């Protein structure tokens, strides 16, 4: 029995960048699992894990936290299922990629679009996220939102190594996806779900790759409605 805890917002939207990594890793392994959405400000719901963040994986009574630790756990526990890393070398290099995305790409995008998340969550969750980002960035959400166009230009530039890799391959894993694909996908999926902003330009090979990852596993990523799709539905 596998259970995953992830963030849930208004209209049941699922926007946790780290949880999307885990979700796709579970699909990659072909494992069945149950998902529990939690509010970002509700720490009692995940108190059993002894910490305050998602994703959280529970497997036969064992609790694993942190998306990277969960990926390692799945690879170790389910070695006969498709590999997430393609071996030891792949695992080490994927760890480098994981740290790069966490430390360089996430701070270059998430704070600037975080203002949009306020419309996707409850008031309590919005206040929690505002406090978190404003204290980390030492700037108001409104100030950060005002700088988003410039930030997105800088973010696209930071993606250049990925772009080079995707000019040569369909996936970061080569011909087929691996966990590295899910790491970056999680960030762009977060943006797709919470924001109407156009993060990637048309014609960017990364946009085409993102479409391919959205379609994986019967389109689990695409079935999650984007912010633009939810707005269209609300207007109809
Ligand atoms: N290093 C952790 C980061 C997890 C994380 O920051 N998760 C966010 C959601 S995307 C969270 O739970 N935030 C709740 C909070 O900070 O209060 C991982 O890779 O899982």
């Amino acid at each position: 029995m596998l259970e995953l805890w992830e963030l849930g917002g208004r209209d049941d939207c699922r926007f946790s960048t780290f949880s999307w990594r885990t979700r796709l890793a579970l699909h990659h392994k072909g494992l069945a699992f149950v998902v529990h959405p939690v509010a970002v400000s509700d720490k009692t719901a995940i108190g059993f894990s002894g910490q305050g963040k998602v994703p959280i994986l529970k497997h036969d009574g064992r609790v694993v936290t942190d998306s990277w630790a969960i990926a390692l756990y799945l690879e170790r526990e389910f070695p006969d299922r498709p590999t997430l890393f393609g071996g030891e070398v792949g695992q080490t290099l994927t760890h480098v990629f994981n740290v790069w995305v966490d430390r360089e790409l996430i701070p270059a995008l998430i704070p600037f679009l975080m203002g949009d998340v306020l419309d996707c969550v409850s008031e309590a969750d919005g206040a929690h996220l505002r406090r978190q980002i404003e204290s980390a960035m030492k700037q108001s959400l409104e100030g950060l939102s005002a700088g988003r166009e410039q930030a997105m230009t800088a973010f696209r530039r930071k993606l250049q190594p990925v772009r080079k890799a995707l000019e040569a391959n369909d996936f970061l894993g080569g011909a087929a996806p691996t966990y590295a694909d899910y790491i970056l996908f999680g960030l762009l999926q977060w943006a797709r779900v919470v924001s109407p902003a156009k993060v990637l330009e048309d014609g960017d090979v990364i946009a085409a790759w993102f479409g391919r990852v959205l379609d994986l596993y019967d389109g689990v990523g695409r079935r999650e409605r984007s912010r633009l799709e939810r707005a269209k539905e609300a207007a109809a």
Side-chain angles (χ1 to χ4, degrees), residues 5-7 15-22 38-43 46 51-56 65-70 98 102 106 110 128-129 132 179 190:
W5 279 259
E6 67 179 14
L7 299 182
F15 62 97
S16 162
T17 179
F18 298 101
S19 304
W20 274 104
R21 297 178 187 181
T22 303
V38 292
V40 69
S41 61
D42 179 11
K43 300 305 175 194
I46 55 170
Q51 52 86 64
K53 291 185 188 293
V54 299
I56 301 163
T65 60
D66 185 84
S67 58
W68 178 249
I70 293 171
N98 198 85
D102 287 0
I106 286 184
I110 285 189
H128 174 94
L129 291 166
Q132 201 174 46
Y179 191 68
W190 174 90

Side-chain angles (χ1 to χ4, degrees), residues 2-139:
L2 281 153
E3 292 171 85
L4 170 68
W5 279 259
E6 67 179 14
L7 299 182
R10 283 192 183 146
D11 297 327
D12 201 30
C13 74
R14 307 300 168 93
F15 62 97
S16 162
T17 179
F18 298 101
S19 304
W20 274 104
R21 297 178 187 181
T22 303
R23 269 235 237 173
L24 290 196
L26 286 161
H27 283 288
H28 183 106
K29 288 277 180 195
L31 298 163
F33 58 99
V34 174
V35 184
H36 304 285
V38 292
V40 69
S41 61
D42 179 11
K43 300 305 175 194
T44 53
I46 55 170
F48 69 91
S49 71
Q51 52 86 64
K53 291 185 188 293
V54 299
I56 301 163
L57 184 78
K58 199 168 179 186
H59 174 224
D60 290 341
R62 276 170 288 180
V63 173
V64 191
T65 60
D66 185 84
S67 58
W68 178 249
I70 293 171
L72 295 180
Y73 177 86
L74 292 174
E75 190 73 341
R76 200 171 55 241
E77 286 292 307
F78 301 97
D80 300 335
R81 302 291 185 118
T83 174
L84 287 170
F85 307 117
E88 210 177 307
V89 174
Q91 182 173 310
T92 308
L93 287 172
T94 308
H95 190 215
V96 174
F97 188 70
N98 198 85
V99 173
W100 180 65
V101 172
D102 287 0
R103 304 221 176 137
E104 292 290 330
L105 294 189
I106 286 184
L109 184 68
I110 285 189
F112 302 94
L113 302 188
M114 188 54 97
D116 291 339
V117 181
L118 301 190
D119 307 322
C120 306
V121 295
S122 69
E123 253 178 61
D125 282 7
H128 174 94
L129 291 166
R130 175 186 283 279
R131 261 195 314 277
Q132 201 174 46
I133 294 292
E134 291 185 342
S135 77
M137 301 297 290
K138 315 238 172 314
Q139 213 183 327

